[in-house]
């Protein structure tokens, strides 16, 4: 029963994920920016996915396991539409305050929740609050994942204003940057059509973190950008 369910869930997303990859741009040759959305899936994530689809862009979502369990169909849709899904722990735990064993279980439970929802296992993780140290990196290495931080944070959860978030996001843009935003902030979701249209004017390709990395393979426990 479990095996049958897993294979039914797995087949469609992996097929379209491959299609998404085929369309990937070469970020060594064109200007790329990776937009990343943390802490969801939330009640606003569906609207964000609509905007991303109509603009034909792929992004990276760092999802919280507890939220994945509440909204598995949204995570399934992320994968089906070619977005990248990363692990943001089960409980949005500050890992520098957690025991090694807790770090590993925060990550593995989220890996399993994403797999159950969408048939894939994340290949990247982002530590909540960007809180890492040598011990956290070692525990994350045990869980088999690299750590992805950001080159610019919109601080959208603090701004809570569509115009201010738009201005801040655009000020952070630079080739192969990784921008931190949140799909739990409705003003961010509202700002996206304007941000995407401006990025298009500036000749930027909006891509996943893995597209920015290109051939570069991150090791388990490695932190990017370092
Ligand atoms: Ni977060």
């Amino acid at each position: 029963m479990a095996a049958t369910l897993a294979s039914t869930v797995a087949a469609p997303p992996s097929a379209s994920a491959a299609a998404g990859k085929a369309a990937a741009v070469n970020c060594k040759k064109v200007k790329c920016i990776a937009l990343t959305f943390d802490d969801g899936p939330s009640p606003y994530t569906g609207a964000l996915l609509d905007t991303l689809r109509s603009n034909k862009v792929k992004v990276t979502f760092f999802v919280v396991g507890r939220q994945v369990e509440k909204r598995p169909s949204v995570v399934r849709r992320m994968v089906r539409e070619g977005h990248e899904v990363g692990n943001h722990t089960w409980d949005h735990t500050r890992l520098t305050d957690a025991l090694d064993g807790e770090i590993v279980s925060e990550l593995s439970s989220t890996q399993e929740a994403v797999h159950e929802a969408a048939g894939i296992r994340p290949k990247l993780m982002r530590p909540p609050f960007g809180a890492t140290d040598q011990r956290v990196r070692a525990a994350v290495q045990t869980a088999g994942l690299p750590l992805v931080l950001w080159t610019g944070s919109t601080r959208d959860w603090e701004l809570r204003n569509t115009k201010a978030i738009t201005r801040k996001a655009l000020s952070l843009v630079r080739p192969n940057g990784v921008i931190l935003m949140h799909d739990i902030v409705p003003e961010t979701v509202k700002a996206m059509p304007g941000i995407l249209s401006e990025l298009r004017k500036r000749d930027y390709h909006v891509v996943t973190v893995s597209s920015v990395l290109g051939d570069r393979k991150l090791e388990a426990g490695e932190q990017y950008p370092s």
Side-chain angles (χ1 to χ4, degrees):
M1 181 58 187
T4 316
L5 183 62
S7 57
T8 11
V9 172
S14 52
S16 53
K21 250 175 212 152
V25 296
N26 184 345
C27 295
K28 282 182 185 153
K29 294 191 174 159
V30 299
K31 282 198 293 186
C32 287
I33 184 76
L35 299 184
T36 66
F37 297 88
D38 288 13
D39 300 359
S42 85
Y44 317 112
T45 309
L48 174 59
L49 286 167
D50 292 345
T51 298
L52 298 172
R53 184 170 58 188
S54 60
N55 282 272
K56 298 188 172 64
V57 299
K58 315 289 183 210
V59 303
T60 302
F61 291 93
F62 286 96
V63 297
V64 170
R66 187 162 39 80
Q67 298 301 114
V68 173
E69 198 176 45
K70 279 188 208 156
R71 298 186 181 84
S73 64
V74 180
V75 180
R76 191 149 56 241
R77 182 178 168 196
M78 290 171 182
V79 172
R80 190 173 61 230
E81 298 189 352
H83 301 293
E84 180 163 49
V85 176
N87 186 326
H88 199 43
T89 76
W90 182 264
D91 253 336
H92 208 264
T93 301
R94 190 179 290 275
L95 298 180
T96 44
D97 294 341
L99 301 170
D100 291 6
E102 288 168 350
I103 296 173
V104 173
S105 75
E106 281 276 339
L107 293 172
S108 61
S109 55
T110 304
Q111 292 295 93
E112 288 319 303
V114 171
H115 184 253
E116 208 167 292
I120 59 118
R121 284 190 176 82
K123 294 188 169 62
L124 309 170
M125 73 79 67
R126 173 173 281 164
F129 315 101
T132 77
D133 55 24
Q134 212 170 5
R135 187 186 62 87
V136 168
R137 283 190 287 276
V140 173
Q141 181 176 13
T142 307
L145 294 166
L147 298 84
V148 173
L149 297 177
W150 49 84
T151 60
S153 168
T154 54
R155 301 187 72 83
D156 52 351
W157 45 269
E158 204 172 53
L159 294 173
R160 296 276 165 172
N161 174 288
T162 301
K163 269 191 184 151
I165 292 168
T166 303
R167 206 177 311 124
K168 179 72 176 168
L170 292 171
S171 77
L172 298 169
V173 170
R174 62 171 177 73
N176 291 331
V178 178
I179 309 280
L180 167 62
M181 312 181 90
H182 294 86
D183 52 325
I184 57 167
V185 175
E187 292 85 357
T188 291
V189 174
K190 282 198 202 100
M192 282 314 293
I195 291 172
L196 293 176
S197 124
E198 181 58 29
L199 288 172
R200 211 163 26 242
K201 277 188 212 152
R202 297 188 193 179
D203 283 328
Y204 269 94
H205 295 252
V206 174
V207 298
T208 62
V209 171
S210 286
S211 292
V212 159
L213 289 166
D215 313 332
R216 183 168 165 192
K217 256 278 184 249
L218 298 180
E219 306 285 334
E222 183 179 353
Q223 187 169 303
Y224 177 87
S226 53

